[in-house]
Amino acid sequence: MAKRIGILTAGGDCPGLNATIRGVAKAMYQKMDNVEMVGIVDGYKGLIEGEAHEMKQSDFSGILTRGGTILGTARTPYSMMRVKENDVDKVALMKANYKKLKLDCLLTLGGNGTHKTANLLAQEGLHVIGLPKTIDNDIWGTDVTFGFHTAVDIGTEVVDRIHTTASSHKRVMVVEIMGNKAGWLTLYTGIAGGADIILIPEIPYNIKKVIKAVERRADRGSGFSVITVAEGAYSAAEAKLKKKERAEKRAKEGYTTATNRIAQEINAMTGFDTRVVVPGHFLRGGTPSSYDRVLASQFGVYAAELVSKGVFGVAVAEQNDKVTHNLLADVAGKTKFVPADNQMVATARSLGISFGD
Ligand code: F6P
């Protein structure tokens, strides 16, 4: 049985990383006495640079509730992994350091980019297991990722508090929620917080429809509206542009995301007072919710089982309330978007929430 286990956290952090690390370690220590856990610092960067340290059983105590990651993390883009920089062959170095550290296997906790590199390393012959973290909940093949529900809770708290001030001042409040590609976090936060309008990348919006929804509320006597906008949302006109063209157009107009433009358009066309709120990384910080602590523990324990059975080249997942795994090769390079016929979208529509389409 594999006994020397490397573990790293890569990409953006999220609540639940430490709870997962703890879950793996606790389950491994239950299974065998002579387990050796090796913490790799700052994700793949640490594996490339050989920055790692042996961990003691006590290192995994008291971290269930701690936000962030005790191992540190960094963004090391997958697209650059096979590109030599200053003559540095990153893949060769990762393989060499895996060997040098005498690892029997490597556990990678991360999102889509992390899974792509995990698959690359698996194809290079390393024993790799991926664990799905991200507040975006956009990893293919799993119903849920750890970090997502904590971010939904935090986002909901933001929208709840925005509601009371929106109502007092009779304003249109536009709340930008993280999620560049997929709108899961904005969708769930919007429903949980009782937003009136939800704008996500999967459903390009028409500003006239957004304004109509605001005016309809005003006509019914609600002088305020709360709109949750995904960081990656775009208009139907922008949907016709290529990603690069869209970014260039926005740069010219002085915007990065659509949020400020939406607020300005609503103000210009209706005269309603508008404000923008961007909780940003607030959504990713702090202690994991009880849901995420449980999920992280389940995922960690399941990964330890895979290690003990010698099942590698896979990614842990949850499907229909059961923890399971997919092949890394199947997960890598895919994104789990909100499908147009998603039941949660239908639920929101039935509640009278507008998607601006
Ligand atoms: O990790 C996911 C995420 O939080 C996205 O929702 C967001 O677009 C991105 O990371 C922000 O990245 P960074 O922390 O590098 O600014």
Side-chain angles (χ1 to χ4, degrees):
M1 195 210 287
K3 74 170 181 92
R4 196 164 160 87
I5 300 151
I7 188 160
L8 62 79
T9 54
D13 72 344
C14 76
L17 283 165
N18 291 326
T20 308
I21 294 168
R22 170 186 176 272
V24 173
K26 278 204 178 277
M28 284 311 306
Y29 287 120
Q30 286 290 322
K31 284 181 194 297
M32 57 200 289
D33 292 330
N34 57 347
V35 62
E36 293 165 13
M37 298 292 299
V38 179
I40 294 153
V41 177
D42 292 347
Y44 292 117
K45 182 171 174 283
L47 192 58
I48 293 165
E49 295 171 1
E51 213 187 315
H53 48 81
E54 286 199 13
M55 300 179 79
K56 304 183 296 295
Q57 201 160 344
S58 60
D59 291 331
F60 303 99
S61 287
I63 62 168
L64 174 64
T65 58
R66 199 189 301 177
T69 162
I70 57 167
L71 298 174
T73 187
R75 289 202 185 274
T76 322
Y78 168 75
S79 57
M80 296 303 287
M81 281 301 181
R82 290 211 185 265
V83 178
K84 280 191 191 169
E85 290 174 286
N86 302 324
D87 234 17
V88 172
D89 184 336
K90 300 180 201 85
V91 176
L93 281 178
M94 287 193 281
K95 286 168 68 178
N97 283 323
Y98 177 95
K99 236 181 161 179
K100 202 165 151 196
L101 290 165
K102 297 189 171 59
L103 300 181
D104 293 316
C105 64
L106 173 68
L107 270 51
T108 62
L109 282 59
N112 281 323
T114 304
H115 279 69
K116 280 195 269 187
T117 299
N119 183 47
L120 179 158
L121 293 176
Q123 284 172 344
E124 290 286 332
L126 307 193
H127 291 157
V128 188
I129 298 171
L131 287 116
K133 76 84 227 189
T134 167
I135 64 166
D136 293 352
N137 196 30
D138 62 350
I139 298 180
W140 183 90
T142 185
D143 294 341
V144 67
T145 56
F146 59 87
F148 173 64
H149 278 286
T150 306
V152 172
D153 290 350
I154 300 168
T156 303
E157 165 89 22
V158 172
V159 176
D160 284 350
R161 288 182 184 275
I162 287 305
H163 246 112
T164 61
T165 174
S167 162
S168 310
H169 288 271
K170 296 170 193 61
R171 282 175 173 154
V172 177
M173 302 294 285
V174 190
V175 185
E176 180 178 295
I177 300 293
M178 272 192 172
N180 214 357
K181 290 189 181 142
W184 295 107
L185 185 55
T186 306
L187 177 61
Y188 275 64
T189 300
I191 293 174
D196 307 298
I197 299 164
I198 296 175
L199 305 179
I200 58 175
E202 293 88 342
I203 308 177
Y205 68 88
N206 177 333
I207 193 66
K208 288 191 181 135
K209 299 266 173 71
V210 174
I211 287 169
K212 214 173 198 167
V214 170
E215 287 176 337
R216 212 179 309 126
R217 276 180 56 77
D219 291 345
R220 286 202 307 255
S222 300
F224 74 95
S225 289
V226 176
I227 308 179
T228 54
V229 183
E231 192 186 14
Y234 46 83
S235 68
E238 287 177 312
K240 293 186 188 127
L241 303 176
K242 293 202 177 93
K243 205 175 158 195
K244 200 170 159 224
E245 294 169 336
R246 197 157 62 225
E248 282 166 3
K249 179 177 170 281
R250 289 213 184 149
K252 257 192 215 152
E253 293 169 352
Y255 301 109
T256 45
T257 65
T259 318
N260 279 300
R261 186 183 64 203
I262 291 166
Q264 281 167 15
E265 285 172 328
I266 294 172
N267 174 261
M269 293 191 214
T270 65
F272 286 124
D273 204 9
T274 59
R275 293 287 188 278
V276 166
V277 178
V278 185
H281 292 80
F282 204 81
L283 298 163
R284 262 178 31 198
T287 189
S289 64
S290 47
Y291 179 98
D292 271 333
R293 292 178 202 181
V294 172
L295 184 68
S297 301
Q298 279 184 296
F299 281 179
V301 166
Y302 189 87
E305 264 163 42
L306 292 173
V307 171
S308 65
K309 287 182 190 148
V311 180
F312 302 115
V314 295
V316 176
E318 185 183 287
Q319 289 167 2
N320 304 320
D321 283 333
K322 267 206 143 41
V323 182
T324 178
H325 59 273
N326 296 303
L327 291 177
L328 271 171
D330 287 340
V331 176
K334 293 184 192 145
T335 301
K336 186 184 73 178
F337 295 107
V338 178
D341 61 353
N342 178 259
Q343 200 175 25
M344 204 58 84
V345 172
T347 299
R349 290 193 195 276
S350 298
L351 290 168
I353 296 171
S354 165
F355 284 84
D357 59 338

